[in-house]
Amino acid sequence: MARSSGLLDTLLTSPTTERYRVGISLLFLLGVWLTVGSFSQGMPNNMLLMAAAVIGGYMAINIGANDVANNVGPAVGSGALSLGAAVVIAAIFEASGAIIAGGDVVSTIKGGIIDPSSLEEGRAFVWLMTAALLAGALWLNLATWMGAPVSTTHSIVGGVLGAGIAAGGWGIADWAVMGKIAASWVISPVLGGALAALFLFAIKKTVLYRKEVIPAARTFVPWLVAIMAWAFGTYLMIKGVKKIVKVDFMEATLIGLAAAAVVFFVMRTLVGRMASTMENSSAGVNALFTWPLIFAAALLSFAHGANDVANAIGPLAAINDALSADSVVMSANIPLWVMMVGALGLAVGLMLFGPRLIKTVGSEITELDKTRAFCIALSAALTVILASQLGLPVSSTHIAIGGVFGVGFLREYLKSNYATQLHKIMEHHDPAEQERLKPFLDDFRNASVEEMENLLKRAKKKKQVPLSKSERKRLKKIYREELVKRSHLVRIAAAWIITVPASAIMAAILFFTLRGLLI
């Protein structure tokens, strides 16, 4: 099994297979074109519907390539899942979420950002939605190529906004709604990062920093996993299966509590059994979070498929209804073929192009272990629940990435805090003892956060010499660069900021191009 998983990992990441990925994508889109063409013969504007279906499939591929990385990236980076296993699990649960819980009716204008009633004719609406869909897909493709995880919802929102303004002028847009969306650029990552850092700090204080890790783990880990079970149970009720079973927040919370109670007793039993063979260290505690992380990756993928598939199939369903009725539609029925285009496109995009972003999220921003990845997954579910009850606009992509940066910056803070203690301890020692400092610095540079406290105690006991001011600055800089890659932070933040305007500009250009070609 391990050998086959390793082979799959190699195939997914090998540069030599890039042309095959592109070729398989084109075959999928050709299949969409031929399938839609086979049952739309004789329908008015069937060529336009076929083209829209291909664009919808292209959008779904790009959603799978970019957005799904946030659900499984931490599990892969921590080693809970191999890349191949993560791709297979996510593809199955993304497609299942889209098909089972994707819904029968979708709002044609995501979030009410424009008022389509001001459009004069149905053809303009079709051009608008086609341009928005293609612009969102193109921007996602570019972001994936750059290695920047961005919000697919913001991509399609920008596309609808730009094409809408091109079709109906500036007055067609609801700028209050756009203001809330802009606010989510800050709200989402800050909330996600703060919660992830808070949980990681709590785990360190209650378990990892204890002298006897095993008794602490037996006490606290079942509670932590139970909190995750409550969060995911509630999250799936209000976001994942709301189109199958209608429940209010209180009912969703009670279902989550029932799941949490079962998980608590199961985890308490399992941790008790593992305690006798468990290593009395952070590595032993990490092993306890492997299965919770696997379930979290699967459940996040299911909920994502149920919700974000609408970014691909919503505009396509709207085009399908508008072409049939020759009018503007505010909500559209989702035929099975439209849902299948979205679900299969998500899976194809994830399996062919997702590994690049999965590696970025899982290992290139900051180093993740299972404890940190657990905090990120828990933060993602809790932030969505909190934001939905407060009426705050949030992006699941921004939440997950904020969580990754949150745990990274917490580690930086803890290390710099230890470094400050080290400097204070050693600053009054004789500079002539520099040679005694060198081996200590070598150990300090390679130490984990947990190991640094012991090093500091040893330094105090042995009265190691102080660092110079320039050496202190260099030490802090090394830790910052090691723990959180600033280049990734800048690139991702820049991509988030320009997502809406970039897709809006592309959509406006595409709208004018389509109108010029089809009039």
Side-chain angles (χ1 to χ4, degrees):
M1 179 67 181
R3 183 177 179 181
S4 61
S5 178
L7 178 60
L8 182 57
D9 291 355
T10 303
L11 289 173
L12 289 170
T13 56
S14 174
T16 60
T17 60
E18 185 65 28
R19 61 182 180 273
Y20 297 112
R21 296 190 185 103
V22 174
I24 293 171
S25 300
L26 292 175
L27 285 175
F28 169 73
L29 296 178
L30 177 62
V32 171
W33 171 273
L34 295 175
T35 301
V36 176
S38 66
F39 66 74
S40 65
Q41 289 183 359
M43 293 174 58
N45 299 307
N46 75 308
M47 291 295 291
L48 186 55
L49 179 62
M50 292 163 64
V54 170
I55 296 171
Y58 175 51
M59 178 63 167
I61 288 174
N62 282 288
I63 293 174
N66 192 290
D67 214 20
V68 180
N70 309 307
N71 302 325
V72 298
V76 173
S78 68
L81 281 172
S82 68
L83 178 60
V87 167
V88 172
I89 289 173
I92 292 171
F93 280 88
E94 285 279 340
S96 299
I99 295 171
I100 296 171
D104 298 318
V105 178
V106 65
S107 172
T108 60
I109 305 299
K110 184 91 174 178
I113 53 174
I114 67 169
D115 179 14
S117 62
S118 60
L119 297 175
E120 296 179 355
E121 56 181 349
R123 285 188 301 172
F125 178 75
V126 171
W127 300 334
L128 185 160
M129 299 308 291
T130 303
L133 192 57
L134 182 55
L138 288 171
W139 170 248
L140 281 175
N141 199 335
L142 178 60
T144 304
W145 177 76
M146 294 188 301
V150 297
S151 170
T152 56
T153 300
H154 289 179
S155 300
I156 197 64
V157 161
V160 171
L161 177 67
I165 292 173
W170 292 95
I172 198 173
D174 188 331
W175 295 106
V177 172
M178 286 305 304
K180 291 181 180 180
I181 292 172
S184 74
W185 298 339
V186 177
I187 294 171
S188 299
V190 169
L191 270 178
L195 282 176
L198 179 64
F199 277 105
L200 181 59
F201 186 73
I203 292 174
K204 287 181 179 295
K205 282 292 186 182
T206 58
V207 181
L208 298 179
Y209 286 168
R210 298 290 181 91
K211 184 176 181 180
E212 294 296 330
V213 171
I214 295 176
R218 293 181 68 173
T219 300
F220 292 104
V221 169
W223 286 105
L224 290 167
V225 179
I227 292 172
M228 172 182 264
W230 171 81
F232 275 102
T234 306
Y235 176 77
L236 284 176
M237 287 298 104
I238 63 175
K239 288 291 183 181
V241 297
K242 62 182 179 179
K243 295 165 185 173
I244 302 175
V245 181
K246 298 291 184 181
V247 295
D248 58 26
F249 180 71
M250 184 57 67
E251 291 170 336
T253 300
L254 292 174
I255 292 171
L257 286 174
V262 173
V263 169
F264 173 79
F265 288 110
V266 171
M267 282 301 299
R268 191 170 67 171
T269 302
L270 289 177
V271 173
R273 289 177 180 174
M274 294 175 65
S276 60
T277 58
M278 196 172 88
E279 183 181 344
N280 189 45
S281 66
S282 59
V285 176
N286 265 310
L288 299 175
F289 291 110
T290 300
W291 279 104
L293 275 173
I294 294 172
F295 279 104
L299 295 175
L300 281 171
S301 297
F302 183 88
H304 179 270
N307 283 276
D308 281 26
V309 71
N311 293 327
I313 66 172
L316 177 56
I319 292 167
N320 180 58
D321 275 16
L323 288 174
S324 300
D326 195 23
S327 64
V328 175
V329 292
M330 299 298 293
S331 62
N333 293 315
I334 305 178
L336 179 60
W337 71 267
V338 171
M339 185 62 75
M340 292 301 296
V341 167
L344 293 177
L346 283 176
V348 168
L350 169 65
M351 298 192 75
L352 296 179
F353 304 104
R356 178 173 183 175
L357 267 294
I358 290 173
K359 289 179 66 177
T360 297
V361 174
S363 60
E364 294 179 1
I365 296 174
T366 192
E367 182 184 347
L368 295 177
D369 59 16
K370 295 182 181 69
T371 304
R372 298 166 200 151
F374 172 84
C375 295
I376 294 166
L378 179 55
S379 167
L382 286 175
T383 303
V384 170
I385 294 170
L386 178 63
S388 66
Q389 294 311 298
L390 296 177
L392 298 174
V394 292
S395 162
S396 60
T397 299
H398 294 186
I399 292 168
I401 301 302
V404 174
F405 280 112
V407 299
F409 283 125
L410 175 66
R411 294 175 64 222
E412 272 193 9
Y413 167 75
L414 293 174
K415 278 205 169 186
S416 65
N417 187 45
Y418 285 137
T420 301
Q421 295 178 45
L422 177 64
H423 304 155
K424 288 180 179 178
I425 290 169
M426 298 193 301
E427 64 186 1
H428 299 299
H429 290 262
D430 186 353
E433 298 179 343
Q434 290 286 337
E435 286 302 317
R436 292 177 58 194
L437 177 62
K438 187 177 184 305
F440 178 84
L441 283 178
D442 291 339
D443 292 339
F444 194 78
R445 181 177 294 107
N446 297 318
S448 66
V449 174
E450 294 75 15
E451 293 167 341
M452 289 185 68
E453 190 169 14
N454 293 328
L455 287 171
L456 291 174
K457 291 177 181 177
R458 193 191 320 158
K460 184 176 181 180
K461 183 177 179 180
K462 293 184 178 181
K463 298 189 179 299
Q464 296 279 2
V465 296
L467 296 167
S468 67
K469 186 176 180 180
S470 62
E471 287 170 333
R472 290 198 299 267
K473 289 183 178 179
R474 182 184 302 175
L475 186 61
K476 290 181 179 179
K477 183 178 180 181
I478 288 172
Y479 291 141
R480 288 196 186 100
E481 292 302 320
E482 280 184 348
L483 299 186
V484 177
K485 298 295 175 57
R486 265 44 176 188
S487 59
H488 283 75
L489 175 61
V490 172
R491 185 173 74 246
I492 291 171
W496 286 357
I497 292 170
I498 66 173
T499 288
V500 170
S503 55
I505 291 170
M506 285 192 289
I509 295 171
L510 289 168
F511 174 83
F512 288 125
T513 302
L514 285 171
R515 189 177 67 174
L517 291 173
L518 298 176
I519 287 181

